[in-house]
Amino acid sequence: MRTFGSLDAQTAAKSPVDGGHIAVGELRTDGSELRCELSASGQVARFLTGDPLRVDYNQPIENVPPSLLAVPALAQVCPVAWATGADVSIDRIDPEFLLALNRVRESLKRLYPSLVCGGELEYETTSCPECRDGTYTPSRPTGKTALLFDGGVDSLATFVKHRRDEPTLVTLQRWTPESEPEEMRVVAQTESFARRHGCETAFVRSNVLSVLDVSALDAHFGAHLDGSWYNAVGQGLGVLGLCAPLCASRDIEQLTRAAPRTREFAGPWGSHPSLDSTVRWSGTACRYDGADLTRQEKIERIAQFVREKDPTVTIRDCPDRGGNCNQCELCARTIVGLVVAGLDPRDHGYAVTDETFPAIRTKFETGRWNLAADEQFAWETIQAAAPETSPVAFAGADDFFQWLAAVDLSELAAQPVPPLSHRFTRAIVGRSSDAVSQSLSSVIRRFRRVFS
C-alpha cells in the first residue's frame, strides 16, 4: 500500500477532530449508472451518512477505466478527510488526479488555514489494465470541450464567450423524487437552448448531498466558513469530479466551470480559481472562466448575445430550482441588471409587475436583505452602470433608479439582523447557483416562501 500526503505531527496537532478512516469501496457500473460503496470509521464517520454514492450519466460508462470511475467518490470525501485528519484508502487512482488532489489540498490550506489538516491517501496502484502506461488517453486528440451549464448568468456569459467551440452543455441534477418535475423542465430548457446553438447536452444526476451529512459538516465547521460546507469547501472539486466518467466516455479534453464570483471577491469559497483551475484527470483539464468580469458585465455580454443571436434566452438563476421566484435578492439583482442592460426581464424568465421595483426598494430599506461583501459589490456595479431613469417601461422603475443612484449601499448592507428566512436559507445552502449545491428540500422552499 502506497501513501500520498503524509500528515506531519505539527499539522496533526491542529486537527479539529481525531481523524479516522474512509474506504472507497467497489466501483460498479450498470449501463449509465455508477455506484460506489463508502465506509467510514472513527471521528470522520459522523460526516458520512452511509449511503452509497450514485451517479447517473444518461449514457453508457461501462468502458471507462476504474481509475477514472473512482474520481467522483474521491472528489467528495477527500476534502472531508483533509478537514478531519482522516485517511482515505482506494484500490486504483488516476495518476493525474492524484497530483491534482495535492494541488487542491494545498490551495484549501491557503484559503482555510484553520480548517484543512491533512490525512493520508492510501492506494494500491495508479495503473489499470485499460490504461496505457498508467494513464488514460483518448484514442485521438479531439479538441472537444464541455461547459458546466445551469442556465444562470455565469454559465450563460461563459457560453457566449466560448460558443464557437460548440461545447457540450453539462447540467448537474439532484437525485430526489420531489425534484423530478422541475428537473425535467431544466432538461427541456437546456436541450432547446443547445439545439438552437448546435451543441450537445449531457445530464449528470447524483445523490452526492445524501452521501455527506451536510448538516453535521455545517454544524461542526461552520465557524470556519462563509456559507454551507459544500458551497464553501466541497463544490469546486466535488462538482468537477462528478464529471470525470462523462468526460472520459465522450473524450472531452477541457471542462469549463464559470466563475461564480468576480476576482475582487474570490476569497475563500468552494469554487475558486486556485481550486477549480488545478483539477484534472487523465485526458481532461479543467478551466475556471469569467472571474475577470463583474456580474453586470456578464449581463451586458448576454444582452449583446440576445440582441444579435438569440432573443429567446431564458435565465435560470434563482436558488429555487422550481423556477425563478421573482422575490429573492438574486432574482431582484438579475431583474435590475437586465433592465440596466436594456432588456425586458419578462422576455427572459422573470415575472415583473407594477409592484416589482417598489418592492425591491422596500426590502432594501427595511433590512429584509442582508448583503454579504460580494453581493454588495455586485449591486454597486449595477448602481455604477444604471441610468437615473429606466430604459425599459415599468411602473415605479424611474423612481427606483433615481433612488438607486443616490443610495449608499454600504449603509443598507450593514443593517445588523437579516430576516429569519435569509438566515435559515443561507445556513442550509449558502449562495451558490450550482444545481447540485442548491439541493433544497420542498420543506425548505415552503419555509422561505412563507417568510420572504
Side-chain angles (χ1 to χ4, degrees):
M1 176 75 71
R2 286 181 283 180
T3 62
F4 167 74
S6 296
L7 179 65
D8 59 38
Q10 181 180 6
T11 305
K14 299 178 182 178
S15 177
V17 294
D18 296 330
H21 181 263
I22 300 173
V24 179
E26 181 183 4
L27 300 162
R28 288 178 286 173
T29 59
D30 182 8
S32 64
E33 184 179 332
L34 169 66
R35 182 184 175 98
C36 177
E37 300 289 339
L38 300 168
S39 60
S41 60
Q43 293 297 318
V44 74
R46 74 171 104 168
F47 302 125
L48 275 71
T49 65
D51 290 350
L53 175 67
R54 294 184 296 160
V55 193
D56 187 272
Y57 295 96
N58 200 31
Q59 67 175 64
I61 57 165
E62 293 172 324
N63 293 327
V64 174
S67 58
L68 294 181
L69 292 175
V71 170
L74 288 171
Q76 312 313 317
V77 302
C78 280
V80 178
W82 297 332
T84 59
D87 298 334
V88 177
S89 63
I90 193 168
D91 182 16
R92 295 186 179 96
I93 186 169
D94 175 71
E96 292 193 38
F97 189 64
L98 180 66
L99 297 176
L101 285 175
N102 186 37
R103 293 190 290 267
V104 170
R105 185 173 65 174
E106 292 305 311
S107 293
L108 279 172
K109 282 183 180 180
R110 290 190 291 271
L111 293 175
Y112 297 109
S114 64
L115 178 66
V116 179
C117 307
E120 294 181 344
L121 178 59
E122 304 169 344
Y123 58 92
E124 293 290 347
T125 179
T126 59
S127 64
C128 62
E130 297 88 344
C131 301
R132 296 185 292 275
D133 300 323
T135 303
Y136 171 76
T137 305
S139 58
R140 63 185 185 282
T142 65
K144 291 183 178 180
T145 67
L147 166 64
L148 287 171
F149 186 82
D150 64 1
V153 166
D154 298 326
S155 62
L156 276 169
T158 290
F159 171 80
V160 172
K161 178 180 177 181
H162 298 289
R163 66 185 185 277
R164 291 181 178 83
D165 297 335
E166 297 182 352
T168 296
L169 304 182
V170 181
T171 299
L172 305 182
Q173 300 175 281
R174 289 168 285 169
W175 201 320
T176 56
E178 66 270 18
S179 71
E180 288 292 340
E182 61 198 55
E183 296 298 348
M184 291 307 296
R185 286 192 292 271
V186 170
V187 168
Q189 290 175 353
T190 301
E191 289 181 337
S192 175
F193 181 88
R195 283 193 299 271
R196 296 199 303 273
H197 300 289
C199 297
E200 296 182 354
T201 59
F203 299 92
V204 179
R205 189 168 61 141
S206 176
N207 70 333
V208 60
L209 293 184
S210 300
V211 172
L212 303 179
D213 191 332
V214 178
S215 60
L217 287 164
D218 290 350
H220 190 86
F221 296 108
H224 301 273
L225 310 174
D226 176 18
S228 71
W229 165 271
Y230 204 78
N231 289 335
V233 178
Q235 64 161 307
L237 178 64
V239 168
L240 292 169
L242 285 175
C243 300
L246 170 72
C247 291
S249 67
R250 293 201 179 190
D251 286 344
I252 290 170
E253 295 180 358
Q254 186 170 69
L255 175 63
T256 301
R257 173 78 173 274
R261 291 184 170 189
T262 305
R263 183 169 286 120
E264 287 93 326
F265 288 94
W269 196 240
S271 179
H272 186 277
S274 69
L275 300 173
D276 292 12
S277 61
T278 64
V279 178
R280 65 179 301 126
W281 47 85
S282 293
T284 306
C286 297
R287 173 174 61 184
Y288 188 82
D289 180 84
D292 56 323
L293 299 178
T294 67
R295 180 179 176 82
Q296 188 57 31
E297 287 171 334
K298 292 177 181 179
I299 291 177
E300 296 286 349
R301 174 183 284 178
I302 294 167
Q304 182 179 358
F305 177 69
V306 166
R307 286 187 283 265
E308 295 178 356
K309 298 291 183 182
D310 188 353
T312 66
V313 167
T314 296
I315 297 175
R316 301 190 309 268
D317 229 3
C318 182
D320 187 338
R321 302 309 294 180
N324 295 322
C325 74
N326 304 289
Q327 302 295 323
C328 69
E329 181 271 330
L330 183 55
C331 278
R333 204 189 321 157
T334 307
I335 288 169
V336 176
L338 288 170
V339 171
V340 170
L343 297 182
D344 187 333
R346 293 172 298 186
D347 296 333
H348 306 288
Y350 293 88
V352 179
T353 71
D354 289 347
E355 305 300 323
T356 297
F357 288 93
I360 294 172
R361 176 177 174 176
T362 297
K363 288 181 179 180
F364 269 117
E365 292 181 329
T366 58
R368 298 288 293 278
W369 292 330
N370 183 259
L371 303 183
D374 60 318
E375 294 166 337
Q376 178 187 333
F377 176 78
W379 276 103
E380 288 171 345
T381 63
I382 295 173
Q383 186 182 47
E388 290 194 14
T389 58
S390 174
V392 181
F394 289 109
D398 284 347
D399 289 343
F400 172 83
F401 280 107
Q402 289 169 13
W403 167 83
L404 183 63
V407 72
D408 185 342
L409 288 168
S410 64
E411 290 185 1
L412 294 179
Q415 298 190 57
V417 182
L420 179 59
S421 65
H422 190 91
R423 285 181 279 138
F424 182 85
T425 303
R426 179 170 293 183
I428 299 297
V429 299
R431 293 183 303 280
S432 171
S433 63
D434 289 316
V436 169
S437 61
Q438 297 296 341
S439 183
L440 296 175
S441 71
S442 59
V443 172
I444 295 172
R445 289 198 297 272
R446 287 196 297 270
F447 185 100
R448 183 175 57 212
R449 290 191 184 112
V450 169
F451 288 93
S452 64

